Amino acid sequence: MVSWIKSMRFKSGNLLNERVEIQKEIFEDIKKSHEEWKAAHCMFEEAVEQDQIDYAIFILEAAERRYQMHLRRAKSYGVVGTTQDCVNDTPYNNLAKRVEGSH
């Protein structure tokens, strides 16, 4: 009986460690995809010719979908955290600041 209890504690500890590792992986995927989205947005802002604009739009849409996919994955796994730092640094907020400063 005692060995069964010990094995259950070991298994539950392993499951907890596995869940923590999955959550770390999800968080890293979110951070990476957010950085890729920001880079794609910068590419779009710098595009000049029609082909560059079309390509930048394609890359931007793909990056946005990948970012959303990772956020949905985090939600399904019950990952809890804040994206406030990422939200404050989005290209849209930077663009809003530039527009406000140009008035």
Side-chain angles (χ1 to χ4, degrees):
M1 179 79 166
V2 173
S3 64
W4 179 80
I5 293 172
K6 286 182 181 178
S7 70
M8 289 305 294
R9 284 183 186 161
F10 180 74
K11 287 180 182 178
S12 66
N14 282 343
L15 291 175
L16 181 62
N17 289 338
E18 183 178 320
R19 183 162 179 83
V20 168
E21 288 300 316
I22 290 171
Q23 288 182 354
K24 284 181 183 178
E25 178 184 316
I26 291 170
F27 185 71
E28 289 300 317
D29 287 342
I30 289 171
K31 284 176 31 179
K32 183 179 176 186
S33 63
H34 186 261
E35 291 298 318
E36 290 173 359
W37 174 74
K38 289 191 317 185
H41 196 280
C42 289
M43 180 191 303
F44 175 74
E45 286 182 345
E46 295 175 2
V48 179
E49 297 176 9
Q50 187 61 43
D51 287 340
Q52 292 174 337
I53 294 169
D54 291 345
Y55 179 71
I57 290 170
F58 175 77
I59 296 298
L60 181 59
E61 288 177 346
E64 286 175 350
R65 288 183 183 172
R66 184 166 186 248
Y67 181 55
Q68 291 170 354
M69 176 187 68
H70 288 303
L71 291 176
R72 281 192 304 274
R73 181 174 173 224
K75 185 176 181 179
S76 72
Y77 274 90
V79 175
V80 178
T82 178
T83 57
Q84 191 62 37
D85 293 333
C86 293
V87 170
N88 288 335
D89 193 32
T90 61
Y92 290 117
N93 285 342
N94 294 337
L95 182 61
K97 290 175 189 172
R98 284 187 295 203
V99 170
E100 289 173 9
S102 65
H103 291 295

